Amino acid sequence: MESVLKGQIALITGASSGIGAGVAKSLAAAGATVVVNYPVEATKPAADDVLKEITDAGGTGIVAQCDVSKEDQVIKMFADVVAQFGTVDILINNAGLQRDAKFDEMTLDQWNTVINVNLTGQFLCAREAIREFLRRGPRPEVSVATGKIICMSSVHELIPWGGHVNYATSKGGIRMLMQSLAQEYGDRQIRVNSICPGAIQTPINRAAWETPQALNSLMTLIPYNRIGQPQDIGNLAVFLSSDLSDYITGASIFIDGGMTVFEGFSTNG
Ligand code: NAD
């Protein structure tokens, strides 16, 4: 899929680690100029490393600091990117975190932190992206669609998750955010879709894969019998960002080694 994104500007939130880093590398390899977003100064070195890997491989991009839950920072990041590159063509709404607790012990701070980053952060970034797509209008020289937004959701927009109610709620909200935007802006040729990963090997879920026992237990949930890698998500992000998927909008695409076919029912439940 080399060059399918040539000439396009892609902004990836939370791209200094895990899935966001993998997606940034894949989009850059497909020809996009990438904006590697990171939230705070402490994560800048990791973002720099991601960008170095991209430029060493012949890609182009920049790093950009912004806490996606802060309106002023999101507005400034988009303004800076448009000033530097002229526009944005692709938004990967990826930044996310967990603050896990039993529901009866969950603090308001744990609830608000997850909703503010995972859901409000996606609202703020999608709003700036759509404002830019509408301002700029079509760019048929690079894509049939006027703009593309990909929301990083989760299998937990479908599978309820005790002990993680704030996280599951944020992902359920992303589903309606994504579908409502696809509905509202489809006639402006703006495509909005979600990627719903199962278990991908990243820092967010280290406890689920770092010991052989944890990994074995995880495999009971995954028919395909391996943990996913950021590259798996990167491949799908390239497809969903490109004209190869031009008739797909409003879709949640599950990429989970079969987690959502519910392995536990394979022997009669
Ligand atoms: P990760 O912890 O490596 O990545 C999350 C990224 O978000 C980090 O780079 C972090 O710095 C960034 N971030 C956190 N708060 C931010 C903020 N306020 N502003 C900007 N960036 C911020 O974990 P990951 O697995 O790569 O997660 C990426 C996305 O994928 C998340 O939305 C997560 O919910 C989703 N996801 C992950 C899995 C999985 O199994 N790893 C499964 C389903 C969904």
Side-chain angles (χ1 to χ4, degrees), residues 13-22 37-40 43 46 64-70 73 77 93-99 113 116-118 121-122 151-156 161 167 170-171 174 195-206 209 227-228 230 233 255:
T13 67
S16 57
S17 65
I19 290 173
N37 161 254
Y38 62 95
V40 290
T43 47
Q65 186 276 324
C66 163
D67 177 337
V68 296
S69 68
K70 303 283 190 317
Q73 294 187 26
M77 175 172 67
N93 243 342
N94 167 77
L97 43 70
Q98 292 180 210
R99 293 290 181 271
T113 299
N116 288 346
V117 173
N118 295 15
Q122 293 217 9
C151 301
M152 204 56 70
S153 182
S154 164
V155 290
H156 295 296
W161 206 17
Y167 183 86
S170 74
K171 297 301 184 181
I174 287 168
I195 292 177
C196 303
I200 311 299
Q201 193 166 17
T202 75
I204 209 173
N205 58 0
R206 184 176 297 281
W209 52 260
I227 192 165
I233 308 300
I255 172 163

Side-chain angles (χ1 to χ4, degrees), residues 128-142:
E128 290 318 298
I130 285 180
R131 285 175 173 167
E132 172 54 20
F133 301 157
L134 296 177
R135 180 198 70 78
R136 184 238 307 142
R139 279 220 307 152
E141 67 277 21
V142 294

